[in-house]
Amino acid sequence: MALEKYIDHTNLRPTATVDDIEKLCKEALEHNFYAVCVNGCHVSSAKENLSGSPVKVAAVIGFPLGAMSTKAKICEALDCCKNGADEIDMVINIGWLKSRLYDSVREEITAIKGAIGDNVLKVIIETCYLTDSEKETACILAVEAGADFVKTSTGFGTGGATLEDVKLMKNIVGDKAEIKASGGVKDKASAQQYIDLGVSRIGTSSGPSLIK
């Protein structure tokens, strides 16, 4: 598969303007990226800008901290889907995970997946804040909850994707879920390394330069 089909072209900056999102979508169309990834307030405009194209719209929820209530995350996810999001990238409740409230973490993911139905759910585990054991547990819980993807990072934490974390995640999820690497993937060589490890999607704000 061509490299561009792995890319979720991303702009999640709090300062992103309407013009910035329009530019993001134009670049996604020009380069035939798989999806754009935006904050919820930009879903409608992204969908409009991409109308008639195969480029998907992914929206983040519970972003970037993951500490909102489950009810709030569900409402956010439903609103994004109503406005045209094809995929939802949710942040887990990191504090719950570190408190070993595993049932709560699993139930939240299950509830969001149940609410969005056939829409793709990616679960951001924010690896930079977790021990290896916690990363493994997060992946297990996401799979048990029916998530479609596990995702390394928000890009707003203290670190992004690493090859070591993707290897660990792949070892846990196997073929039960796909993997998205995000945060700090800025060049073609790095992207290819992640793909070689079994990543299905790469979240990056450097899509156009990455494929050159």
Side-chain angles (χ1 to χ4, degrees):
M1 188 165 65
L3 177 57
E4 59 266 22
K5 285 302 182 184
Y6 287 88
I7 293 177
D8 285 0
H9 193 32
T10 302
N11 188 338
L12 299 169
R13 294 192 302 270
T15 55
T17 64
V18 172
D19 288 344
D20 291 333
I21 300 305
E22 184 177 347
K23 179 174 182 284
L24 185 83
C25 293
K26 285 182 177 179
E27 290 172 341
L29 290 169
E30 178 184 352
H31 297 289
N32 202 25
F33 293 141
Y34 188 89
V36 298
C37 186
V38 297
N39 281 299
C41 66
H42 296 301
V43 169
S44 294
S45 60
K47 195 70 174 180
E48 184 177 345
N49 278 294
L50 297 169
S51 178
S53 83
V55 180
K56 306 292 186 184
V57 176
V60 293
I61 68 162
F63 195 87
L65 303 177
M68 302 72 174
S69 70
T70 297
K71 185 176 180 179
K73 288 182 180 178
I74 292 171
C75 289
E76 191 178 9
L78 288 172
D79 183 64
C80 288
C81 291
K82 179 182 177 182
N83 289 329
D86 304 289
E87 305 185 344
I88 296 295
D89 291 30
M90 66 161 287
V91 186
I92 64 164
N93 191 309
I94 301 162
W96 281 355
L97 180 72
K98 297 186 82 67
S99 300
R100 300 185 180 182
L101 298 175
Y102 301 142
D103 287 345
S104 297
V105 174
R106 186 192 303 106
E107 287 165 7
E108 178 173 89
I109 300 168
T110 300
I112 293 168
K113 179 58 183 174
I116 68 172
D118 292 335
N119 296 75
V120 169
L121 179 64
K122 309 188 198 91
V123 176
I124 307 170
I125 67 173
E126 198 68 301
T127 52
C128 62
Y129 295 133
L130 306 180
T131 65
D132 283 352
S133 177
E134 289 168 341
K135 294 168 197 173
E136 292 172 355
T137 299
C139 288
I140 291 168
L141 294 172
V143 168
E144 290 176 348
D148 300 288
F149 277 78
V150 288
K151 175 178 170 181
T152 59
S153 319
T154 62
F156 287 77
T158 56
T162 69
L163 296 173
E164 292 74 18
D165 283 340
V166 168
K167 289 176 185 175
L168 179 152
M169 293 164 72
K170 184 64 177 177
N171 186 53
I172 296 299
V173 303
D175 296 325
K176 296 175 183 176
E178 298 182 75
I179 298 173
K180 177 176 173 179
S182 63
V185 186
K186 297 184 180 299
D187 61 80
K188 187 174 183 177
S190 297
Q192 191 60 55
Q193 284 182 295
Y194 284 110
I195 292 168
D196 291 344
L197 288 176
V199 160
S200 302
R201 209 80 67 79
I202 294 168
T204 179
S205 58
S206 306
S209 60
L210 188 148
I211 64 170
K212 289 179 181 178

